[in-house]
Coordinates of all heavy atoms in Angstrom, one line a residue:
M1 N 15.2 10.0 -0.4 CA 14.1 9.4 0.3 C 13.0 10.4 0.4 O 13.2 11.5 0.9 CB 14.6 8.9 1.6 CG 13.6 8.3 2.5 SD 14.2 7.6 4.1 CE 15.9 7.2 3.9
D2 N 11.8 10.0 0.1 CA 10.7 10.9 0.2 C 10.1 10.8 1.6 O 10.5 10.0 2.4 CB 9.6 10.6 -0.8 CG 8.9 9.3 -0.7 OD1 8.8 8.7 0.4 OD2 8.4 8.8 -1.8
S3 N 9.1 11.7 1.9 CA 8.6 11.8 3.3 C 7.9 10.5 3.8 O 8.0 10.1 4.9 CB 7.7 13.0 3.5 OG 6.5 12.8 2.7
K4 N 7.2 9.8 2.9 CA 6.5 8.6 3.2 C 7.6 7.5 3.6 O 7.4 6.8 4.6 CB 5.6 8.0 2.1 CG 4.9 6.8 2.5 CD 3.9 6.3 1.5 CE 3.2 5.0 2.0 NZ 2.3 4.5 1.0
Q5 N 8.6 7.4 2.8 CA 9.7 6.4 3.1 C 10.4 6.8 4.4 O 10.7 5.8 5.2 CB 10.7 6.4 1.9 CG 10.2 5.8 0.7 CD 11.2 6.0 -0.5 OE1 11.9 7.0 -0.6 NE2 11.3 5.0 -1.3
Q6 N 10.6 8.0 4.7 CA 11.1 8.4 6.0 C 10.2 8.0 7.1 O 10.7 7.6 8.2 CB 11.4 9.9 6.0 CG 12.2 10.4 7.2 CD 13.6 9.7 7.4 OE1 14.4 9.8 6.5 NE2 13.8 9.1 8.5
Q7 N 8.9 8.2 6.9 CA 8.0 7.9 8.0 C 8.0 6.3 8.2 O 7.9 5.9 9.3 CB 6.6 8.3 7.6 CG 6.4 9.8 7.6 CD 5.0 10.2 7.1 OE1 4.1 9.4 6.9 NE2 4.8 11.5 6.9
M8 N 8.1 5.6 7.1 CA 8.1 4.1 7.2 C 9.4 3.7 8.0 O 9.4 2.9 8.8 CB 8.1 3.5 5.8 CG 6.7 3.7 5.1 SD 6.8 3.2 3.4 CE 7.1 1.4 3.6
L9 N 10.5 4.3 7.6 CA 11.8 4.0 8.3 C 11.7 4.4 9.8 O 12.1 3.6 10.6 CB 12.9 4.7 7.6 CG 14.3 4.4 8.1 CD1 14.6 2.9 8.1 CD2 15.4 5.2 7.4
D10 N 11.2 5.5 10.1 CA 11.1 5.9 11.5 C 10.2 5.0 12.3 O 10.5 4.6 13.4 CB 10.5 7.4 11.6 CG 11.5 8.4 11.1 OD1 12.7 8.1 10.9 OD2 11.0 9.5 10.8
F11 N 9.1 4.6 11.6 CA 8.2 3.6 12.3 C 8.9 2.3 12.6 O 8.9 1.8 13.7 CB 7.0 3.3 11.3 CG 6.1 2.3 11.8 CD1 5.0 2.7 12.6 CD2 6.2 1.0 11.4 CE1 4.1 1.7 13.0 CE2 5.3 0.0 11.8 CZ 4.2 0.4 12.6
E12 N 9.7 1.8 11.6 CA 10.4 0.5 11.8 C 11.5 0.7 12.8 O 11.8 -0.3 13.6 CB 10.8 -0.1 10.5 CG 11.4 -1.5 10.6 CD 10.4 -2.5 11.2 OE1 9.1 -2.2 11.3 OE2 10.9 -3.5 11.7
K13 N 12.2 1.8 12.8 CA 13.3 2.0 13.7 C 12.7 2.0 15.2 O 13.4 1.5 16.1 CB 14.0 3.4 13.5 CG 14.9 3.3 12.4 CD 15.5 4.6 11.9 CE 15.8 5.7 12.9 NZ 16.4 6.9 12.4
N14 N 11.5 2.4 15.4 CA 10.9 2.3 16.7 C 10.5 0.9 17.1 O 10.4 0.6 18.2 CB 9.7 3.3 16.8 CG 10.1 4.7 16.8 OD1 11.2 5.1 17.3 ND2 9.3 5.6 16.2
W15 N 10.1 0.1 16.1 CA 9.4 -1.2 16.3 C 10.3 -2.4 16.1 O 10.0 -3.5 16.6 CB 8.2 -1.3 15.5 CG 7.1 -0.5 16.1 CD1 6.6 0.7 15.6 CD2 6.3 -0.9 17.2 NE1 5.6 1.1 16.4 CE2 5.3 0.1 17.4 CE3 6.3 -2.0 18.0 CZ2 4.4 0.1 18.4 CZ3 5.3 -2.0 19.1 CH2 4.4 -1.0 19.3
Y16 N 11.5 -2.3 15.4 CA 12.3 -3.4 15.2 C 12.7 -4.2 16.4 O 12.8 -5.4 16.5 CB 13.4 -3.2 14.2 CG 14.7 -2.6 14.9 CD1 15.6 -3.5 15.4 CD2 14.9 -1.3 15.1 CE1 16.8 -3.1 16.0 CE2 16.0 -0.8 15.7 CZ 16.9 -1.7 16.2 OH 18.0 -1.2 16.8
P17 N 13.0 -3.4 17.5 CA 13.4 -4.1 18.7 C 12.4 -5.1 19.3 O 12.7 -6.0 20.1 CB 13.7 -3.0 19.8 CG 14.0 -1.8 19.0 CD 13.1 -2.0 17.8
F18 N 11.1 -4.9 18.9 CA 10.0 -5.8 19.3 C 9.5 -6.7 18.2 O 8.4 -7.2 18.3 CB 8.9 -4.8 19.7 CG 9.3 -3.8 20.7 CD1 9.4 -2.5 20.3 CD2 9.6 -4.1 22.0 CE1 9.9 -1.5 21.2 CE2 10.0 -3.1 22.9 CZ 10.1 -1.8 22.5
G19 N 10.3 -6.9 17.2 CA 10.0 -7.8 16.1 C 9.3 -7.1 14.9 O 8.7 -7.7 14.0
G20 N 9.2 -5.7 14.9 CA 8.6 -5.0 13.9 C 7.2 -4.6 14.3 O 6.6 -5.2 15.3
G21 N 6.6 -3.6 13.6 CA 5.3 -3.1 14.0 C 4.2 -4.2 13.7 O 4.4 -5.1 12.9
S22 N 3.1 -4.1 14.3 CA 2.0 -5.0 14.1 C 1.4 -4.9 12.7 O 1.5 -3.8 12.1 CB 0.9 -4.8 15.1 OG 0.1 -3.6 14.8
S23 N 0.9 -5.9 12.2 CA 0.3 -5.9 10.8 C -0.8 -4.8 10.8 O -1.0 -4.1 9.8 CB -0.3 -7.3 10.5 OG 0.7 -8.2 10.4
R24 N -1.6 -4.8 11.8 CA -2.7 -3.8 11.9 C -2.2 -2.4 11.8 O -2.7 -1.5 11.1 CB -3.5 -4.1 13.1 CG -4.7 -3.2 13.2 CD -5.5 -3.5 14.5 NE -6.7 -2.6 14.6 CZ -7.5 -2.7 15.5 NH1 -7.4 -3.5 16.5 NH2 -8.5 -1.8 15.5
A25 N -1.2 -2.1 12.6 CA -0.6 -0.7 12.7 C 0.0 -0.4 11.3 O -0.2 0.8 10.9 CB 0.4 -0.6 13.8
I26 N 0.7 -1.3 10.7 CA 1.2 -1.1 9.3 C 0.1 -0.7 8.3 O 0.2 0.2 7.6 CB 2.1 -2.3 8.9 CG1 3.4 -2.3 9.8 CG2 2.4 -2.2 7.4 CD1 4.1 -3.7 9.6
T27 N -0.9 -1.5 8.3 CA -2.0 -1.3 7.4 C -2.7 0.0 7.7 O -3.0 0.8 6.8 CB -3.0 -2.5 7.5 OG1 -2.3 -3.7 7.1 CG2 -4.2 -2.3 6.5
E28 N -3.0 0.3 8.9 CA -3.7 1.5 9.3 C -2.9 2.8 9.0 O -3.4 3.8 8.5 CB -4.0 1.5 10.8 CG -5.2 0.6 11.1 CD -5.5 0.5 12.6 OE1 -4.8 1.2 13.4 OE2 -6.4 -0.2 13.0
R29 N -1.6 2.7 9.2 CA -0.7 3.9 9.0 C -0.3 4.1 7.6 O -0.2 5.2 7.1 CB 0.5 3.8 10.0 CG 1.3 5.0 9.9 CD 2.1 5.2 11.2 NE 2.9 6.4 11.0 CZ 3.9 6.7 11.8 NH1 4.1 5.9 12.9 NH2 4.6 7.8 11.7
F30 N 0.0 3.0 6.9 CA 0.6 3.1 5.6 C -0.2 2.5 4.4 O 0.1 2.7 3.3 CB 2.0 2.5 5.6 CG 2.9 3.1 6.6 CD1 3.2 2.4 7.8 CD2 3.5 4.3 6.4 CE1 4.1 3.0 8.7 CE2 4.3 4.9 7.3 CZ 4.6 4.2 8.5
G31 N -1.3 1.9 4.8 CA -2.2 1.3 3.8 C -1.5 0.1 3.0 O -1.8 -0.2 1.9
L32 N -0.6 -0.6 3.7 CA 0.2 -1.7 3.0 C 0.1 -2.9 3.9 O -0.1 -2.9 5.1 CB 1.7 -1.3 3.0 CG 2.1 -0.1 2.1 CD1 3.5 0.3 2.4 CD2 1.8 -0.3 0.7
N33 N 0.2 -4.1 3.2 CA 0.2 -5.3 3.9 C 1.7 -5.5 4.4 O 2.6 -4.8 4.0 CB -0.3 -6.5 3.1 CG 0.5 -6.7 1.8 OD1 1.7 -6.5 1.8 ND2 -0.2 -7.1 0.8
D34 N 1.9 -6.5 5.2 CA 3.3 -6.7 5.7 C 4.3 -6.9 4.6 O 5.4 -6.4 4.7 CB 3.3 -8.0 6.6 CG 2.7 -7.8 8.0 OD1 2.1 -6.7 8.2 OD2 2.8 -8.6 8.8
R35 N 4.0 -7.8 3.6 CA 4.9 -8.1 2.6 C 5.4 -6.8 1.9 O 6.6 -6.6 1.7 CB 4.3 -9.1 1.6 CG 5.3 -9.5 0.5 CD 4.7 -10.5 -0.4 NE 3.4 -10.1 -0.8 CZ 2.4 -11.0 -1.0 NH1 2.6 -12.3 -0.8 NH2 1.2 -10.6 -1.4
D36 N 4.4 -6.0 1.5 CA 4.8 -4.8 0.7 C 5.5 -3.8 1.6 O 6.5 -3.1 1.2 CB 3.5 -4.1 0.1 CG 2.9 -5.0 -0.9 OD1 3.6 -5.8 -1.5 OD2 1.6 -4.8 -1.2
F37 N 5.1 -3.6 2.9 CA 5.8 -2.7 3.8 C 7.2 -3.2 4.0 O 8.2 -2.4 3.8 CB 5.1 -2.7 5.1 CG 5.8 -1.8 6.2 CD1 5.6 -0.5 6.2 CD2 6.6 -2.4 7.1 CE1 6.3 0.3 7.1 CE2 7.3 -1.7 8.0 CZ 7.1 -0.3 8.1
F38 N 7.5 -4.4 4.3 CA 8.8 -4.9 4.6 C 9.7 -5.0 3.3 O 10.9 -4.8 3.4 CB 8.8 -6.2 5.4 CG 8.5 -5.9 6.8 CD1 7.2 -6.1 7.3 CD2 9.4 -5.4 7.7 CE1 6.9 -5.8 8.6 CE2 9.1 -5.1 9.0 CZ 7.8 -5.3 9.5
R39 N 9.1 -5.2 2.2 CA 9.9 -5.1 0.9 C 10.4 -3.7 0.7 O 11.5 -3.5 0.4 CB 9.0 -5.5 -0.3 CG 8.9 -6.9 -0.5 CD 8.2 -7.2 -1.8 NE 8.0 -8.6 -2.0 CZ 7.0 -9.1 -2.8 NH1 6.2 -8.3 -3.5 NH2 6.9 -10.4 -2.9
Q40 N 9.5 -2.7 1.0 CA 9.9 -1.3 0.8 C 11.0 -0.9 1.8 O 12.0 -0.2 1.5 CB 8.7 -0.4 0.9 CG 7.9 -0.5 -0.4 CD 6.8 0.6 -0.4 OE1 7.0 1.7 0.1 NE2 5.6 0.2 -0.9
I41 N 10.8 -1.3 3.1 CA 11.8 -1.1 4.1 C 13.1 -1.7 3.8 O 14.1 -1.1 4.0 CB 11.2 -1.5 5.5 CG1 10.1 -0.6 6.0 CG2 12.4 -1.6 6.5 CD1 10.6 0.8 6.3
D42 N 13.0 -2.9 3.3 CA 14.3 -3.6 2.9 C 15.0 -2.8 1.9 O 16.3 -2.6 2.0 CB 14.0 -5.0 2.4 CG 15.2 -5.9 2.2 OD1 16.1 -5.8 3.0 OD2 15.2 -6.6 1.2
Q43 N 14.3 -2.3 0.9 CA 14.9 -1.5 -0.2 C 15.5 -0.2 0.4 O 16.6 0.2 0.0 CB 13.9 -1.2 -1.3 CG 14.5 -0.5 -2.5 CD 13.5 -0.3 -3.6 OE1 12.3 -0.7 -3.5 NE2 13.9 0.3 -4.6
I44 N 14.8 0.4 1.2 CA 15.3 1.7 1.8 C 16.5 1.4 2.6 O 17.5 2.2 2.4 CB 14.2 2.3 2.7 CG1 13.0 2.8 1.9 CG2 14.7 3.5 3.6 CD1 11.7 3.1 2.7
V45 N 16.6 0.4 3.4 CA 17.7 0.1 4.3 C 18.9 -0.3 3.4 O 20.1 0.0 3.8 CB 17.4 -1.0 5.3 CG1 18.6 -1.5 6.0 CG2 16.3 -0.4 6.3
Q46 N 18.7 -1.0 2.3 CA 19.8 -1.3 1.4 C 20.4 -0.1 0.7 O 21.6 0.0 0.6 CB 19.3 -2.3 0.4 CG 18.9 -3.7 0.9 CD 20.1 -4.4 1.6 OE1 21.2 -4.3 1.2 NE2 19.7 -5.1 2.6
E47 N 19.5 0.8 0.3 CA 20.0 2.0 -0.5 C 20.5 3.1 0.4 O 21.5 3.7 0.1 CB 18.8 2.5 -1.3 CG 18.4 1.5 -2.5 CD 17.2 2.0 -3.2 OE1 16.6 3.1 -2.9 OE2 16.8 1.3 -4.1
E48 N 19.8 3.3 1.5 CA 20.2 4.4 2.4 C 20.2 3.9 3.9 O 19.2 4.3 4.6 CB 19.3 5.6 2.2 CG 19.3 6.2 0.9 CD 18.4 7.4 0.7 OE1 18.5 8.3 1.6 OE2 17.7 7.5 -0.2
P49 N 21.1 3.1 4.3 CA 21.1 2.7 5.7 C 21.0 3.8 6.7 O 21.7 4.8 6.5 CB 22.4 1.9 5.9 CG 22.9 1.6 4.5 CD 22.3 2.7 3.6
P50 N 20.1 3.7 7.7 CA 20.0 4.8 8.7 C 21.3 5.0 9.5 O 21.8 4.1 10.1 CB 18.9 4.4 9.6 CG 18.6 3.0 9.3 CD 19.2 2.6 8.0
T51 N 21.8 6.2 9.4 CA 23.1 6.5 10.1 C 22.9 6.6 11.6 O 23.8 6.6 12.4 CB 23.7 7.8 9.6 OG1 22.8 8.9 9.7 CG2 24.1 7.6 8.1
S52 N 21.6 6.7 12.0 CA 21.3 6.9 13.5 C 21.4 5.5 14.2 O 21.3 5.5 15.4 CB 19.9 7.5 13.7 OG 19.0 6.6 13.1
L53 N 21.6 4.4 13.5 CA 21.7 3.1 14.1 C 23.2 2.6 14.0 O 23.9 2.9 13.1 CB 20.9 2.1 13.3 CG 19.4 2.3 13.3 CD1 18.7 1.2 12.5 CD2 18.8 2.3 14.7
T54 N 23.6 1.9 15.1 CA 24.9 1.3 15.1 C 24.9 0.1 14.1 O 23.8 -0.3 13.7 CB 25.3 0.8 16.5 OG1 24.4 -0.3 16.8 CG2 25.2 1.9 17.5
S55 N 26.0 -0.4 13.8 CA 26.1 -1.5 12.9 C 25.3 -2.7 13.5 O 24.7 -3.5 12.8 CB 27.5 -1.9 12.5 OG 28.3 -2.2 13.6
A56 N 25.4 -2.9 14.8 CA 24.7 -4.0 15.4 C 23.2 -3.8 15.4 O 22.4 -4.8 15.1 CB 25.2 -4.2 16.9
E57 N 22.8 -2.6 15.6 CA 21.3 -2.3 15.5 C 20.8 -2.5 14.1 O 19.7 -3.1 13.8 CB 21.0 -0.9 15.9 CG 21.3 -0.7 17.4 CD 21.2 0.8 17.8 OE1 21.7 1.7 17.0 OE2 20.7 1.1 18.9
L58 N 21.6 -2.1 13.1 CA 21.2 -2.3 11.7 C 21.1 -3.7 11.3 O 20.2 -4.2 10.7 CB 22.2 -1.5 10.8 CG 21.9 -1.5 9.3 CD1 20.5 -0.8 9.1 CD2 23.0 -0.7 8.6
R59 N 22.1 -4.5 11.8 CA 22.0 -6.0 11.6 C 20.7 -6.6 12.2 O 20.1 -7.4 11.6 CB 23.2 -6.7 12.2 CG 24.4 -6.8 11.3 CD 25.5 -7.7 11.8 NE 25.9 -7.6 13.1 CZ 26.8 -6.7 13.6 NH1 27.4 -5.9 12.7 NH2 27.1 -6.6 14.8
R60 N 20.4 -6.1 13.4 CA 19.2 -6.7 14.0 C 18.0 -6.2 13.3 O 17.0 -7.0 13.1 CB 19.1 -6.2 15.5 CG 18.0 -6.8 16.2 CD 18.1 -6.7 17.7 NE 17.0 -7.3 18.3 CZ 16.2 -6.8 19.3 NH1 16.6 -5.6 19.8 NH2 15.2 -7.4 19.8
M61 N 17.9 -5.0 12.8 CA 16.8 -4.5 12.0 C 16.6 -5.3 10.7 O 15.5 -5.7 10.4 CB 16.9 -3.0 11.7 CG 15.8 -2.5 10.8 SD 16.0 -0.8 10.2 CE 15.0 0.1 11.4
R62 N 17.8 -5.6 10.1 CA 17.7 -6.4 8.8 C 17.2 -7.8 9.1 O 16.5 -8.4 8.3 CB 19.1 -6.4 8.2 CG 19.4 -5.1 7.5 CD 20.8 -5.1 6.8 NE 20.9 -3.9 6.0 CZ 22.1 -3.4 5.7 NH1 23.2 -3.9 6.2 NH2 22.2 -2.3 5.0
G63 N 17.6 -8.3 10.2 CA 17.1 -9.6 10.6 C 15.6 -9.7 10.8 O 14.9 -10.6 10.4
V64 N 15.1 -8.6 11.4 CA 13.6 -8.5 11.6 C 13.0 -8.4 10.3 O 11.9 -9.0 10.0 CB 13.3 -7.3 12.6 CG1 11.8 -7.0 12.5 CG2 13.8 -7.5 14.0
I65 N 13.5 -7.6 9.4 CA 12.9 -7.4 8.0 C 12.9 -8.7 7.3 O 11.9 -9.1 6.8 CB 13.7 -6.4 7.2 CG1 13.5 -5.0 7.8 CG2 13.3 -6.4 5.8 CD1 14.5 -3.9 7.3
R66 N 14.0 -9.5 7.3 CA 14.0 -10.8 6.7 C 13.0 -11.7 7.3 O 12.3 -12.4 6.5 CB 15.4 -11.4 6.8 CG 16.4 -10.8 5.8 CD 17.7 -11.6 5.8 NE 18.4 -11.8 7.1 CZ 19.2 -10.9 7.6 NH1 19.5 -9.8 7.0 NH2 19.7 -11.2 8.8
R67 N 12.9 -11.8 8.6 CA 12.0 -12.7 9.2 C 10.5 -12.3 8.9 O 9.7 -13.2 8.6 CB 12.2 -12.6 10.8 CG 11.5 -13.6 11.5 CD 11.8 -13.7 13.0 NE 13.2 -13.3 13.3 CZ 13.6 -12.2 13.9 NH1 12.8 -11.3 14.3 NH2 14.9 -12.0 14.1
R68 N 10.2 -11.0 8.9 CA 8.9 -10.6 8.5 C 8.5 -10.9 7.1 O 7.4 -11.2 6.7 CB 8.7 -9.1 8.9 CG 8.7 -8.8 10.4 CD 7.5 -9.4 11.2 NE 6.2 -8.8 10.8 CZ 5.7 -7.8 11.4 NH1 6.2 -7.3 12.5 NH2 4.5 -7.4 11.0
L69 N 9.5 -10.7 6.2 CA 9.3 -11.0 4.8 C 9.0 -12.5 4.6 O 8.2 -12.9 3.9 CB 10.5 -10.6 3.9 CG 10.5 -9.1 3.6 CD1 11.9 -8.8 3.0 CD2 9.4 -8.7 2.7
W70 N 9.8 -13.3 5.3 CA 9.6 -14.8 5.3 C 8.2 -15.2 5.8 O 7.5 -16.0 5.2 CB 10.7 -15.5 6.1 CG 10.6 -17.0 6.1 CD1 11.0 -17.8 5.1 CD2 9.9 -17.8 7.0 NE1 10.7 -19.1 5.4 CE2 10.0 -19.1 6.6 CE3 9.3 -17.5 8.2 CZ2 9.5 -20.2 7.3 CZ3 8.8 -18.6 9.0 CH2 8.9 -19.9 8.5
M71 N 7.8 -14.5 6.9 CA 6.5 -14.8 7.4 C 5.3 -14.4 6.5 O 4.3 -15.0 6.6 CB 6.3 -14.2 8.8 CG 7.2 -14.8 9.9 SD 7.3 -13.9 11.5 CE 5.6 -13.4 11.8
A72 N 5.6 -13.4 5.7 CA 4.5 -12.8 4.9 C 4.4 -13.5 3.5 O 3.6 -13.1 2.7 CB 4.8 -11.3 4.7
R73 N 5.2 -14.5 3.3 CA 5.1 -15.2 2.0 C 3.8 -15.8 1.7 O 3.0 -16.1 2.5 CB 6.2 -16.3 1.9 CG 7.6 -15.8 1.9 CD 8.6 -16.8 1.5 NE 8.7 -17.7 2.7 CZ 9.4 -18.9 2.6 NH1 9.8 -19.3 1.5 NH2 9.5 -19.6 3.7

């Protein structure tokens, strides 16, 4: 995982309990729209699930990712 991917994952770990970061914050911080950001986060979580989260927290984060991807269609 490169440093940008780690920053994205850290950002989402902080925001998933609230439904994910705002579209504006995502664009300002990473220069990505919601769809591209959450696609990348989904890939990161699939390939290297964060060990700092419990399985329940990881399930909830994945739920937020799926919901945000669905909303960004």
Side-chain angles (χ1 to χ4, degrees):
M1 179 178 332
D2 66 28
S3 66
K4 182 177 180 182
Q5 290 172 324
Q6 185 63 53
Q7 289 174 11
M8 292 170 67
L9 182 59
D10 291 342
F11 176 87
E12 190 55 21
K13 281 173 32 180
N14 290 326
W15 282 102
Y16 86 87
F18 309 104
S22 72
S23 298
R24 182 177 180 180
I26 290 168
T27 300
E28 287 176 359
R29 184 154 179 194
F30 302 105
L32 299 169
N33 61 35
D34 282 10
R35 182 179 47 218
D36 293 338
F37 176 83
F38 284 99
R39 277 187 187 158
Q40 288 187 37
I41 287 294
D42 188 39
Q43 184 176 1
I44 292 166
V45 170
Q46 293 298 326
E47 292 174 1
E48 296 181 49
T51 57
S52 60
L53 298 177
T54 67
S55 60
E57 291 170 325
L58 187 55
R59 273 194 308 277
R60 185 161 181 229
M61 178 188 260
R62 286 180 170 153
V64 169
I65 293 167
R66 283 191 303 273
R67 192 172 324 108
R68 292 292 295 265
L69 282 170
W70 181 82
M71 289 170 44
R73 293 190 286 168

